[in-house]
Amino acid sequence: MKENNGRVLEYGGLRISPPLLLAPMAGLTHSALRRLVQEQGGVGLLSTEMLAAKRLPHENPTLSPYLVRHPSEQPLSFQLLLTSPAEVAAAVASAEELGAAAIDLNLGCPAPDIRRQGGGSRLMEEPQMVRRLVQETRRRTALPLSAKIRLGEELNAERLRAFCLLLEDAGVDLLTVHARLRGEPYGRKPRWEWVGKVKHWLRIPVVANGGIFSAADAAACLAASGADGLMIGRAAAATPWLFRQLAEGWATDFAPGHDELSTAPSQEQKAAIYRRFCELLKESFTPERRLGRLKEFTHYYARNYQFGHHLAAAVQSSPDLDTARRRAEHFLATA
Ligand SMILES: Cc1cc2nc3c(=O)[nH]c(=O)nc-3n(C[C@H](O)[C@H](O)[C@H](O)COP(=O)(O)O)c2cc1C
C-alpha cells in the first residue's frame, strides 16, 4: 500500500509523510507539545518555536527551554528569526550542529517588538533584504529551506506574487502561507483561496496555514488552495490528536461520511492526554519553566470542555505547578 495513500511532500530532499506540519508557536511548540503531538500520531514535520538567530549560537542546548528536546522529536525544523545577513552563518551552523532536519525563516510574525527589530512580517516590506537573507542562508547550508509568510499588508496580488517569486528564486524550497494579512486577527476567516494563488504562481511546494481545527476545515482548505500540505498551529494544543484524524481523513480524500468524531478520544482519554502533557513538562523543563507553559497549553486545551473556562481559570490563578495539577485533576474528575 502506498504510504498515506500516496500523500507525501518532498522539499530539499526531505520526505514528509503525511504532509501535515506542526506550526512554530512561541511558548507552545516546545519539546513537551512536540512529543505529545507525535505520540498521538499523524504529524509529518515538527517545528521549534521561533529562535532568534542572534541568540541561537550562545544558547546552551541542554538548558535552553527553546532547545531542549528528546531524541524522538524527528524530523524537526528549526525556525529562525533573522534581522541581518551577518547573523546567518553562526545561526545556521548551530542549527546544523543541533540536528535540524530543515530550516524555516520567519517572515510573517506581526508582533510589534519583533517588527521593531526588523524581523518577522517587517521583512515582507523589505524584499531586497529578504533576498540577501535567503541567499546567504542558502549559501551556508544544504538543509531543506522553507519560509513562512502572511499575505502582506493589504491584498495586492502583484506585490505578493513578486515577493513569492523572489523567495523561490533566492533558494527557498517550500513556502508556508498563513492565509491572513499582517494586521488581521485570528478571529477572521482565513483567506485560503489566496494560498491557491500562491500555489499557482510557484513551482516549489506550498503549505497552507491558518484556521484549521477539524477535518472539515482541512478539506475546505485543500479544496480552496490546492496546497501540497497543511500546517496546524493552535489546534495542535487544543486537540493534539487532530493530525492523526487529518491523516486518516486525507487518506480517503475526506470522503463524505468520514466522521472525525469517530476517532476523537473519549473524555477519559482526554484527561489522560492532559496528564501526559504535565508529565512531559516535568521531563523537559526545570520547575520554574513548567507553570507558564502549562497555562499557555491549558488556554487551548480547555476548549475540549463545556465548562473549560473553569479549568483555564483554575490553572491561570495557580501559584505553582502542583496546585495547578491538583485543581486540574479536580476539574477533570467532574468534567
Ligand atoms: C501563541 C502563538 C505563538 C506563535 N508563534 C509563532 C512563531 O514563533 N513563529 C511563526 O512563524 N508563527 C507563530 N505563530 C503563528 C502560527 O505559526 C500560525 O501561523 C497561526 O497560529 C495560524 O495557524 P492556526 O490557525 O493553525 O493556529 C504563533 C501563533 C500563536 C497562537
Side-chain angles (χ1 to χ4, degrees), residues 235-251:
T239 49
W241 50 87
L242 181 63
F243 293 90
R244 170 169 45 82
Q245 293 179 316
L246 297 188
E248 287 164 6
W250 205 345

Side-chain angles (χ1 to χ4, degrees), residues 23-153:
M25 289 184 291
L28 270 178
T29 34
H30 41 66
S31 182
L33 185 71
R34 292 193 300 252
R35 288 177 70 187
L36 189 72
V37 162
Q38 203 174 33
E39 287 174 4
Q40 292 297 310
V43 66
L45 181 66
L46 300 168
S47 176
T48 64
E49 314 173 43
M50 64 177 148
L51 304 168
K54 231 182 296 194
R55 289 203 293 273
L56 181 58
H58 312 291
E59 298 269 10
N60 179 332
T62 53
L63 294 179
S64 164
Y66 310 107
L67 297 181
V68 287
R69 76 181 226 249
H70 189 268
S72 63
E73 294 167 40
Q74 295 282 358
L76 178 62
S77 171
F78 277 49
Q79 190 189 56
L80 298 182
L81 186 70
L82 289 168
T83 55
S84 146
E87 300 163 355
V88 171
V92 164
S94 297
E96 286 191 347
E97 211 170 297
L98 293 166
I103 288 182
D104 182 59
L105 303 183
N106 181 330
L107 304 178
C109 180
D113 52 331
I114 301 292
R115 284 175 58 81
R116 263 193 301 277
Q117 296 166 38
S121 60
R122 180 74 183 80
L123 284 167
M124 286 191 73
E125 296 157 44
E126 305 281 350
Q128 291 322 313
M129 171 59 97
V130 170
R131 183 186 294 280
R132 288 170 58 208
L133 291 173
V134 174
Q135 285 176 337
E136 180 64 0
T137 311
R138 184 72 294 167
R139 196 166 76 82
R140 296 285 178 177
T141 184
L143 284 176
L145 177 60
S146 60
K148 181 163 175 282
I149 62 170
R150 283 195 176 212
L151 296 173
E153 289 295 302

Side-chain angles (χ1 to χ4, degrees), residues 135-213:
Q135 285 176 337
E136 180 64 0
T137 311
R138 184 72 294 167
R139 196 166 76 82
R140 296 285 178 177
T141 184
L143 284 176
L145 177 60
S146 60
K148 181 163 175 282
I149 62 170
R150 283 195 176 212
L151 296 173
E153 289 295 302
E154 61 202 3
L155 288 181
N156 181 327
E158 220 165 286
R159 189 177 305 165
L160 181 62
R161 179 170 180 271
F163 189 78
C164 293
L165 287 171
L166 176 153
L167 291 173
E168 183 176 78
D169 180 57
V172 162
D173 299 311
L174 175 143
L175 183 62
T176 300
V177 183
H178 176 187
R180 291 192 176 90
L181 292 167
R182 193 261 296 173
E184 286 181 336
Y186 284 112
R188 197 204 178 282
K189 200 173 169 313
R191 303 172 186 273
W192 293 323
E193 68 285 3
W194 276 76
V195 183
K197 288 184 198 283
V198 175
K199 168 76 191 142
H200 181 70
W201 296 328
L202 300 185
R203 282 165 295 147
I204 57 173
V206 172
V207 169
N209 167 242
I212 299 169
F213 290 95

